[in-house]
Amino acid sequence: MSPYYPPVMISEEQIQNRVAELGEEITRDYADVDELVIVGILKGSFLFMADLARRVSVPRIMEFMALSAYKGTQRDGAVRMIMDMRLDIQDRHVLIVEDIIDTGDTLTYLLENLQARHPASLASCALVKKERENPLDIDVEYVGFEIPDVWAVGYGLDYRERFRALSYIGHMDPEAVDF
Ligand code: IMP
Ligand code: MG
């Protein structure tokens, strides 16, 4: 069977240009901070995190958390923490790095969970945000791209664990594959 390549929605070049811009913005905003804790949310943020962290030039340390709420393209209930980070973030400046914001449930959970640890500041950065009829009432300080409500894959995003390693973001048509 020949491999299926989802049609391109956001090209590798567009992603890399935007990630560079986000990195500059974050570097400017945190210029006066002695250290920034960048928290990547696994698995979806792994490529974005790797690229973004290299485009930020304030002193920074990296942590990871793993969360899950989906099976395939269907939500299977509440957000679950699968792996916590190691660091105690009390009095530290924290930036959450997420792959994609859809309903906002995952980010809402994260913001509550991390705020309770009393960081010095807490902000979030998402590569992609889905346009929704009812806008979310959470603030996302840094957003890479807004896309319509379709299933996106690639650059960390999966459909049933596939396509995460693509360098671009594509539009998944579940009818086109048999897994
Ligand atoms: P939310 O909690 O509804 O905002 O969903 C956030 C999480 O759902 C993301 O971190 C992704 O893991 C997953 N997700 C939502 N939409 C997509 C998509 O279009 N493609 C791949 N994963 C998605
Ligand atoms: Mg995810």
Side-chain angles (χ1 to χ4, degrees):
M1 204 183 96
S2 63
Y4 168 71
Y5 286 102
V8 178
M9 197 157 53
I10 307 171
S11 71
E12 178 174 4
E13 192 188 354
Q14 285 176 291
I15 293 172
Q16 293 304 328
N17 289 339
R18 188 71 186 115
V19 171
E21 287 176 359
L22 289 171
E24 283 169 22
E25 217 181 305
I26 292 165
T27 299
R28 242 183 286 123
D29 293 352
Y30 288 91
D32 296 333
V33 158
D34 30 290
E35 187 179 64
L36 177 63
V37 181
I38 309 179
V39 182
I41 308 308
L42 298 172
K43 301 177 194 168
S45 74
F46 83 110
L47 289 179
F48 181 37
M49 178 81 169
D51 288 339
L52 185 67
R54 287 179 289 182
R55 294 291 193 167
V56 170
S57 58
V58 294
R60 56 209 180 280
I61 51 182
M62 271 166 286
E63 288 287 332
F64 292 94
M65 292 172 80
L67 301 177
S68 180
Y70 277 79
K71 275 204 163 66
T73 63
Q74 295 301 306
R75 299 193 67 100
D76 77 332
V79 179
R80 286 188 303 271
M81 193 189 305
I82 291 168
M83 185 190 86
D84 202 348
M85 66 179 132
R86 295 188 190 177
L87 189 73
D88 178 0
I89 57 168
Q90 181 165 0
D91 300 328
R92 292 176 188 261
H93 295 276
V94 176
L95 178 67
I96 298 170
V97 175
E98 256 281 38
D99 51 357
I100 187 166
I101 315 282
D102 183 8
T103 62
D105 289 353
T106 304
L107 188 59
T108 301
Y109 168 90
L110 266 170
L111 289 172
E112 267 180 37
N113 186 292
L114 297 188
Q115 200 65 66
R117 305 179 192 192
H118 307 292
S121 71
L122 181 61
S124 49
C125 175
L127 180 69
V128 179
K129 189 162 166 277
K130 285 192 188 172
E131 282 158 2
R132 298 197 137 246
E133 273 178 36
N134 311 312
L136 309 172
D137 62 354
I138 45 170
D139 245 10
V140 186
E141 283 79 1
Y142 308 95
V143 175
F145 300 95
E146 300 227 13
I147 62 164
D149 189 9
V150 297
W151 196 257
V153 292
Y155 199 66
L157 297 163
D158 75 307
Y159 171 72
R160 299 189 174 160
E161 292 305 324
R162 298 276 297 272
F163 307 112
R164 288 196 198 274
L166 293 177
S167 299
Y168 67 92
I169 293 175
H171 171 197
M172 180 69 203
D173 173 11
E175 309 267 283
V177 295
D178 61 1
F179 53 86

